[in-house]
């Protein structure tokens, strides 16, 4: 874990998907607030953004674009990625389980049902939370991570007694 500019990392993770969205005829809109910092593993957090973007583009259903926002609420960085579609209520917890696929007809795709499991693992390792919601014909993934450059408590050392 190291201090990092999460705003730059998210922007860097979103931009490569502009061409993919264009090829699919989808708009990609993003609003990323600047200077949101946190303690994190840049490789893992980049993978998280990539998974959420790939998921949004791969599973969009119907008309509409992909929307990404990054902001700060209190002491948290809040990342949302939304796309047109719907996930039934009973599947919303299952999508984070390894190898789960909502649609059995998708078994021929190059998706193996691991992406959201990995995303959840990354978020948990960063002491955050990830959730999914569906409303208004859109699927919204929300990631909340502790923001700022708080110093982590060192472990393995006992406090000195006087």
């Amino acid at each position: 874990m190291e201090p990092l500019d999460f705003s730059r990392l998210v922007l860097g993770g979103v931009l490569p998907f502009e061409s993919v969205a264009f090829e699919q005829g989808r708009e990609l809109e993003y609003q990323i607030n600047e200077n949101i910092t946190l303690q994190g593993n840049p490789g893992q957090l980049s993978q998280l953004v990539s998974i959420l973007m790939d998921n949004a583009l791969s599973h969009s259903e119907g008309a509409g674009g992909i929307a990404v926002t990054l902001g700060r609420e209190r002491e948290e960085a809040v990342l949302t990625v939304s796309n047109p579609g719907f996930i039934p209520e009973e599947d919303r917890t299952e999508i984070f389980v390894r190898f789960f696929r909502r649609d059995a007809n998708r078994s021929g795709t190059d998706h193996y049902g691991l992406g959201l499991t990995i995303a959840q693992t990354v978020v948990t390792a960063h002491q955050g939370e990830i959730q999914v919601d569906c409303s208004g014909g859109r699927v919204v993934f929300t990631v909340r991570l502790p923001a700022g450059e708080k110093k982590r408590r060192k472990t393995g050392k006992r406090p000195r007694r006087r």
Side-chain angles (χ1 to χ4, degrees):
M1 299 285 187
E2 61 187 65
L4 58 88
D5 185 338
F6 193 49
S7 300
R8 291 185 72 171
L9 185 141
V10 170
L11 182 61
V14 169
L15 291 177
F17 286 92
E18 282 186 326
S19 61
V20 179
F22 178 78
E23 289 172 10
Q24 291 183 8
R26 296 203 183 274
E27 282 190 39
L28 173 57
E29 298 176 2
Y30 47 91
Q31 181 178 353
I32 299 170
N33 292 351
E34 295 180 351
N35 301 318
I36 297 177
T37 59
L38 52 79
Q39 290 275 13
N41 178 307
Q44 290 178 358
L45 291 172
S46 292
Q47 185 178 26
L48 168 68
V49 174
S50 181
I51 288 168
L52 292 175
M53 291 301 300
D54 180 62
N55 188 70
L57 285 161
S58 298
H59 299 289
S60 287
E61 300 169 356
I66 309 301
V68 180
T69 65
L70 176 64
R72 187 176 177 129
E73 292 178 11
R74 297 188 255 347
E75 297 298 316
E76 293 179 321
V78 181
L79 172 67
T80 64
V81 178
S82 69
N83 61 277
F86 181 76
I87 300 173
E89 182 93 32
E90 62 272 11
D91 290 348
R92 292 182 197 165
T93 55
E94 297 297 315
I95 60 173
F96 295 104
V97 175
R98 286 177 18 167
F99 307 118
F100 177 81
R101 287 194 210 131
R102 277 189 10 216
D103 186 354
N105 295 330
R106 290 187 172 217
S107 58
T109 68
D110 61 349
H111 293 270
Y112 300 100
L114 291 173
L116 292 175
T117 303
I118 294 168
Q120 185 176 46
T121 300
V122 168
V123 170
T124 301
H126 287 80
Q127 300 174 353
E129 64 179 32
I130 184 171
Q131 57 192 122
V132 63
D133 187 36
C134 296
S135 63
R138 295 194 62 83
V139 176
V140 181
F141 283 90
T142 303
V143 174
R144 295 179 175 279
L145 298 170
E149 296 182 13
K150 293 181 182 176
K151 294 182 180 176
R152 293 176 170 258
R153 237 175 67 203
K154 293 183 181 179
T155 57
K157 292 184 180 179
R158 293 184 186 181
R160 282 203 232 170
R161 293 187 180 189
R162 293 181 183 216

